[in-house]
Amino acid sequence: MAFYSTRSGSRATASQAILWGLAADGGLFVPGRFPQVSPEEIASLQKMSYTRRAALILQKYLEDFTPEQVRAAVEGAYGDGKFDCPEVAPVKKLDDHTFVLELFHGPTLAFKDMALQLLPHLVTQAARMNGEQRQVSILVATSGDTGKAALEGFKDVPGTSCTVFYPQDGVSDVQKLQMVTTGGDNTCVIGVEGNFDDAQTGVKEIFSDPAFAKQMDQRGRVLSSANSINFGRLAPQIVYYFSAYADLLAQGAIELGDKVDFCVPTGNFGNILAGYYAKNMGLPVGRLWCASNRNNVLTDFFQKGEYTAKREFFKTISPSMDILISSNLERLLYEAADRSGAQVKEWMTQLKQTGRYAIDDEQLEWLQSIFKVGSATDEETKAEIKRVFAEGYLMDTHTAVASRVLHDAREKGEKLRPTVIVSTASPYKFTQDVLEALEGAADEDAFACAERLEALSGMPVPPQVKELRSLPIRHTLKCEKQRMAQTVLAAFDAK
Ligand SMILES: *Cc1c(COP(=O)(O)O)cnc(C)c1O
């Protein structure tokens, strides 16, 4: 299957789309069509392990990878012992209409592991398939969780390196410690003086700079991306929507063909977009709920049809969603524009030049027929953590945004349908805020909070959090947002 750039007709194979990350024209690669999964195939997923489910779904997109390559990749990512539970992405029942899909059982405790445990396997295979001799140098901008997940995924993977830019004061203590203590000879972590959008914009500029590419080439390196602009990030995320549906079938919560809604805490629009892809592949998805925190640029967009990135940026207790420029929305816009690259390019140019763009009424209506939106403030999010905990489930600050949006909508009369809240992080990644939600106050020390949370919930502190206390800090680089390119090159030359 061919992949196309959202901004022009430029084409790539699946392995090229994954290897390059971004199209040369700055567009994102999208599949030429949505491969179909039949009802029989969906039913058959019930009896499969997560690894087999992943192989079945992914093969449909990764046409130039052999079944053996796909199998090896999914085994390497989700095989024995990689995740802390055999289901990999278990579905828990909150009540008859509400379920939680837990995507935080991987090594870094956030849903980014679902894709970033797999991506290095795909990238290294793609490099081999395309005769790439240079070192594949992954550059990542992170709002907190992608960075650590990418570092863990690419750490010591031969033929690759991984450099992460994070907003210096925009991540939780646990997130920061997770990144700066990362081992591996091929990892580099840099704090940017700015917010996530600054870091992401800087990385995108590096990617679209031919002079930078040349300097990399001279060093025997080629750039690639582990951000969700890379189709290799998106594809593995499609799998868990199918997996959740199969689990609901197996639990007897739904019948084959019944529609299920998903409610997704959203930032860069990658997670929820994978749900939209799953729907297009034949998964009976009803509504997709796009839940935002106070940075509710997407809520406004889906209500008014106008995207306005020039607005106040808020630091919230769900930092991984503190984003004003949602990269993956571009893939949805491409569909809204009937796959017109020229139209998408125009919108993206307007966004860059004026900080806004608008879609027409027909396009808006179409989006509204699929997506529902809502947002929650920090106070509402904390109240939701407390409310749900009283009913026996502990959720993190991001998941609670989604839970609150769904709860609010139902209070306002939204019909009850089986809905899966997509849980994106372990509460132990955001211990202070979660504890403050439960008790009104929390210790300054993230580890003391973790112990208190364990005592309250009976859920053991994950070993990945415990060990952070004693790991040495290995990364101390910082840079201004204008100097990201120079800083990376200097870091490469120093190795
Ligand atoms: C990345 C992240 C999100 C946002 O996901 P997108 O795919 O960027 O919309 C939400 N919650 C957590 C915990 C995350 O790490």
Side-chain angles (χ1 to χ4, degrees), residues 288-354:
L288 289 163
W289 284 90
C290 173
S292 301
N293 64 23
R294 196 175 170 202
N295 295 296
N296 55 359
V297 57
L298 288 167
T299 314
D300 288 347
F301 174 68
F302 281 98
Q303 280 169 350
K304 300 178 196 145
E306 185 183 16
Y307 196 95
T308 50
K310 276 222 175 99
R311 53 170 74 205
E312 195 177 347
F313 176 89
F314 299 106
K315 268 168 67 171
T316 73
I317 58 170
S318 43
S320 303
M321 297 155 66
D322 287 346
I323 293 174
L324 293 180
I325 301 174
S326 280
S327 301
N328 262 295
L329 190 63
E330 181 167 342
R331 288 190 164 106
L332 184 67
L333 290 171
Y334 183 70
E335 305 301 331
D338 271 335
R339 308 205 139 206
S340 159
Q343 174 66 78
V344 173
K345 192 170 170 187
E346 194 183 314
W347 283 327
M348 292 302 118
T349 307
Q350 284 172 6
L351 181 65
K352 195 163 179 200
Q353 287 171 354
T354 68

Side-chain angles (χ1 to χ4, degrees), residues 306-466:
E306 185 183 16
Y307 196 95
T308 50
K310 276 222 175 99
R311 53 170 74 205
E312 195 177 347
F313 176 89
F314 299 106
K315 268 168 67 171
T316 73
I317 58 170
S318 43
S320 303
M321 297 155 66
D322 287 346
I323 293 174
L324 293 180
I325 301 174
S326 280
S327 301
N328 262 295
L329 190 63
E330 181 167 342
R331 288 190 164 106
L332 184 67
L333 290 171
Y334 183 70
E335 305 301 331
D338 271 335
R339 308 205 139 206
S340 159
Q343 174 66 78
V344 173
K345 192 170 170 187
E346 194 183 314
W347 283 327
M348 292 302 118
T349 307
Q350 284 172 6
L351 181 65
K352 195 163 179 200
Q353 287 171 354
T354 68
R356 66 170 292 282
Y357 60 84
I359 59 175
D360 69 29
D361 290 347
E362 202 181 313
Q363 290 160 339
L364 179 61
E365 241 169 72
W366 176 77
L367 289 183
Q368 288 174 341
S369 70
I370 303 164
F371 293 90
K372 303 271 265 176
V373 287
S375 68
T377 63
D378 280 356
E379 286 319 305
E380 291 166 338
T381 304
K382 283 186 192 166
E384 183 68 1
I385 292 174
K386 191 165 180 177
R387 185 188 72 79
V388 177
F389 186 65
E391 294 181 358
Y393 188 82
L394 181 64
M395 49 179 52
D396 94 291
T397 48
H398 303 75
T399 310
V401 168
S403 184
R404 173 73 189 219
V405 164
L406 179 67
H407 188 69
D408 278 355
R410 284 176 171 173
E411 297 263 284
K412 286 188 197 128
E414 180 72 27
K415 219 172 91 200
L416 284 178
R417 304 197 226 192
T419 305
V420 175
I421 296 168
V422 178
S423 176
T424 48
S426 157
Y428 284 105
K429 272 196 111 154
F430 305 94
T431 49
Q432 281 128 316
D433 291 316
V434 171
L435 196 60
E436 215 179 289
L438 297 181
E439 299 200 303
D443 198 283
E444 290 263 305
D445 179 58
F447 300 103
C449 293
E451 278 164 22
R452 177 76 189 133
L453 268 188
E454 177 176 284
L456 281 176
S457 70
M459 207 172 136
V461 182
Q464 301 97 308
V465 172
K466 272 193 181 153

